[in-house]
Amino acid sequence: MPQYYIEAHQSGCFYEVYINGILCTVRYINAGAMNNAIPINDKILKSGPQKVTIKLFPLGEIDGKEYPTLTERTRFTLEIFKRDKATPWEGLDYDVVHNYFAPTTTSEEAGPFAHANEPMYEETFTFNAEVPYELTGWSDSQVIEGQEGIEQEVLDFYKEYADVIQNQDEKKWVQMVETKELEYFKSIFYNDKSSEKFKKRIKLLSLPFDSKFKKRFPLDPYEMILGGDGKVITLKNKVKLGKSAFSFGVEEIENGESYKYRDYPYLFLHKPKGSDKLEIIR
């Protein structure tokens, strides 16, 4: 029951990591994250080569000083590892699959960054994964990149999704997320319904319908992001870096205390083969 993870560390830059073209994790804080291992099985449709894309961005303004480009001090490392889900988690009980560090002039991890003074750096590499499942995902989906009117179709879908939450149409919502969640559970939990993380995900998913508080927000300024070989699309926030352009208000009750906040879930959309409508796939 192999579970694959990525763990990234950065210095002097922000980053985005894409697995098979699907945005997987971002970091727009000028500090390393602790214990930031991210499971990626749901981005792995089947065994074989998997594509990883790294995008590094400059820090911009920090403490009154501008960093418009990447510098020689830019550092980024990424470790891809796997562990057997059937065994208890122990500190170093995993196998490293791939180690990556952003290129330097010396070809050594601690050397000066090789692409200093550039406004962005992007690199793609592959690693091999072996998984005991096969997901349809976006493998048979239409290529929507360049389709006429696709931007308006995406905007219409986001509006429909916001309506579903605002109107508390739980039946329609289940229909919209069912494929995505079934594939996620199959790849991450292997349908282990006794898993506490499984139960927690169900709880978080149902928050918009279990909470009395709901608030609608307009889309933030956005950038369309295409992935999955042009078959998957989402809207990335151009103002709140790293977040989705879509958001809604939600309330979470923890130990009797109410926490109201603005959630920014990414919706990765595709068009299944033979369909003319967008659907959520991740």
Side-chain angles (χ1 to χ4, degrees), residues 22-37:
I22 308 299
L23 182 61
C24 182
T25 184
V26 303
R27 186 73 175 173
Y28 280 93
I29 300 175
N30 187 29
M34 298 297 292
N35 300 321
N36 64 328

Side-chain angles (χ1 to χ4, degrees), residues 45-46 134-143 183 228-229 231-232 270-275 281:
L45 300 185
K46 62 180 181 179
E134 186 166 335
L135 307 177
T136 301
W138 52 91
S139 59
D140 294 330
S141 303
Q142 301 176 40
V143 175
E183 289 204 341
D229 298 322
K231 298 176 181 179
V232 180
H270 76 136
K271 281 186 181 178
K273 185 178 180 179
S275 173
I281 192 60

Side-chain angles (χ1 to χ4, degrees), residues 10 16 23 30 32 41 55 86 88 96 106 126 155-156 160 177 185 193 197 199 201 214 218 267 280:
Q10 104 279 22
E16 298 175 355
L23 182 61
N30 187 29
N41 278 50
K55 296 183 180 182
V96 175
T106 62
T126 62
L155 295 178
D156 290 344
E160 180 184 10
V177 303
F185 292 144
K193 297 181 181 180
K197 290 184 178 179
K199 295 175 183 177
R201 183 173 179 88
K214 57 181 183 291
L267 304 179
I280 301 173

Side-chain angles (χ1 to χ4, degrees), residues 2-5 19-20 40-52 80-82 97-98 126-133 190:
Q3 292 280 284
Y4 287 83
Y5 298 82
I19 305 295
N20 293 320
I40 60 171
N41 278 50
D42 65 314
K43 313 297 189 301
I44 298 173
L45 300 185
K46 62 180 181 179
S47 296
Q50 314 298 322
K51 185 168 67 175
V52 181
I80 302 172
F81 64 93
K82 67 176 180 178
V97 176
H98 191 97
T126 62
F127 74 95
N128 280 308
E130 294 182 8
V131 292
Y133 60 81
Y190 300 96

Side-chain angles (χ1 to χ4, degrees), residues 75-89:
R75 299 286 183 274
F76 178 82
T77 63
L78 182 75
E79 182 179 78
I80 302 172
F81 64 93
K82 67 176 180 178
R83 61 176 293 270
D84 188 344
K85 184 178 181 294
T87 61
W89 180 277

Side-chain angles (χ1 to χ4, degrees), residues 62-231:
I62 299 291
D63 297 329
K65 187 174 180 179
E66 288 287 341
Y67 297 89
T69 62
L70 299 166
T71 73
E72 288 189 350
R73 294 186 176 183
T74 295
R75 299 286 183 274
F76 178 82
T77 63
L78 182 75
E79 182 179 78
I80 302 172
F81 64 93
K82 67 176 180 178
R83 61 176 293 270
D84 188 344
K85 184 178 181 294
T87 61
W89 180 277
E90 296 177 3
L92 299 176
D93 185 22
Y94 61 83
D95 297 319
V96 175
V97 176
H98 191 97
N99 270 319
Y100 166 89
F101 64 86
T104 63
T105 57
T106 62
S107 297
E108 297 178 358
E109 189 174 325
F113 181 56
H115 297 271
N117 303 316
E118 294 185 11
M120 192 269 279
Y121 176 72
E122 179 176 338
E123 184 174 359
T124 297
F125 63 89
T126 62
F127 74 95
N128 280 308
E130 294 182 8
V131 292
Y133 60 81
E134 186 166 335
L135 307 177
T136 301
W138 52 91
S139 59
D140 294 330
S141 303
Q142 301 176 40
V143 175
I144 57 178
E145 184 174 10
Q147 278 191 5
E148 184 177 354
I150 190 61
E151 181 175 1
Q152 187 58 53
E153 289 183 53
V154 171
L155 295 178
D156 290 344
F157 187 95
Y158 274 70
K159 180 181 180 303
E160 180 184 10
Y161 191 82
D163 288 343
V164 165
I165 292 177
Q166 189 69 18
N167 298 331
Q168 299 288 279
D169 188 347
E170 191 167 358
K171 182 178 180 180
K172 176 65 174 177
W173 174 81
V174 168
Q175 293 172 352
M176 296 175 84
V177 303
E178 183 176 21
T179 299
K180 171 189 71 125
E181 289 306 312
L182 287 175
E183 289 204 341
Y184 183 88
F185 292 144
K186 184 176 181 179
S187 65
I188 299 295
F189 300 117
Y190 300 96
N191 296 323
D192 178 11
K193 297 181 181 180
S194 64
S195 166
E196 289 302 317
K197 290 184 178 179
F198 182 104
K199 295 175 183 177
K200 183 177 181 181
R201 183 173 179 88
I202 295 293
K203 180 180 178 182
L204 289 174
L205 278 170
S206 60
L207 267 180
F209 300 94
D210 292 340
S211 149
K212 294 180 180 179
F213 170 77
K214 57 181 183 291
K215 185 173 177 63
R216 185 170 187 154
F217 295 94
L219 283 176
D220 286 330
Y222 62 84
E223 173 187 359
M224 290 197 303
I225 301 295
L226 282 148
D229 298 322
K231 298 176 181 179

